[in-house]
Amino acid sequence: MNYDASVFKEKANRKARIICLIFSILLSANYGTDTGNGLYPTQNYIIFLILWWLPVIIGEILLRVKGCATDIYKHVLIVGYDIFYTFVFCTTASPIAFTYILPVMSLLVLYKNQKFMIGCGIANTLSGIFSAISAM
């Protein structure tokens, strides 16, 4: 049995796409409900939607243009997610906001790349530190 890296990347990207779409719907609905209940201002919800959906849309375009085996897709999702996560962490009053990291963790596991996982972990830790400092 031969290992084909492009087949692995394509499968990982397809799974990541599905996970992102599911979490996009769930997080948008959750934050929207919180906004409707007065927990966040409407402009925060609009920023939230832009920061979350823009990388998803860019990633979708990238997959269609470059093909599903492109290595760039995971970076678009992760960088976009880190920007989104930092925004949420800095603007939320929710005690469960830390759980928004779970989608990115499920994405990291798909790619089975230790260096990539460590880099993302460092970026997420910096997001947490930044939000803690900005809350002071």
Side-chain angles (χ1 to χ4, degrees), residues 82-83 85-91 122-136:
D82 276 344
I83 293 167
Y85 185 67
T86 302
F87 169 77
V88 169
F89 230 42
C90 290
T91 61
I122 291 169
N124 288 326
T125 301
L126 292 174
S127 293
I129 292 169
F130 178 76
S131 68
I133 291 171
S134 69
M136 294 178 149

Side-chain angles (χ1 to χ4, degrees), residues 6-127:
S6 65
V7 171
F8 173 78
K9 287 178 187 177
E10 184 175 338
K11 286 181 180 180
N13 284 341
R14 288 182 189 274
K15 289 176 186 176
R17 178 197 298 169
I18 292 168
I19 290 169
C20 273
L21 289 175
I22 291 169
F23 277 109
S24 295
I25 294 165
L26 293 174
L27 291 176
S28 296
N30 180 55
Y31 206 90
T33 302
D34 289 347
T35 300
N37 291 333
L39 191 57
Y40 306 112
T42 304
Q43 65 266 23
N44 277 22
Y45 185 56
I46 293 168
I47 294 169
F48 171 94
L49 291 174
I50 292 168
L51 289 176
W52 177 248
W53 282 96
L54 189 61
V56 172
I57 293 167
I58 291 171
E60 189 65 31
I61 293 168
L62 183 68
L63 288 177
R64 292 180 190 273
V65 171
K66 295 272 189 183
C68 287
T70 184
D71 202 35
I72 302 169
Y73 180 68
K74 67 182 177 186
H75 297 288
V76 168
L77 291 182
I78 297 302
V79 169
Y81 193 86
D82 276 344
I83 293 167
F84 155 80
Y85 185 67
T86 302
F87 169 77
V88 169
F89 230 42
C90 290
T91 61
T92 190
S94 174
I96 63 165
F98 70 92
T99 62
Y100 282 22
I101 197 65
L102 298 177
V104 90
M105 291 303 174
S106 59
L107 293 175
L108 293 177
V109 172
L110 289 175
Y111 292 105
K112 299 177 183 170
N113 181 329
Q114 186 178 12
K115 184 178 175 184
F116 183 62
M117 288 182 199
I118 291 170
C120 292
I122 291 169
N124 288 326
T125 301
L126 292 174
S127 293

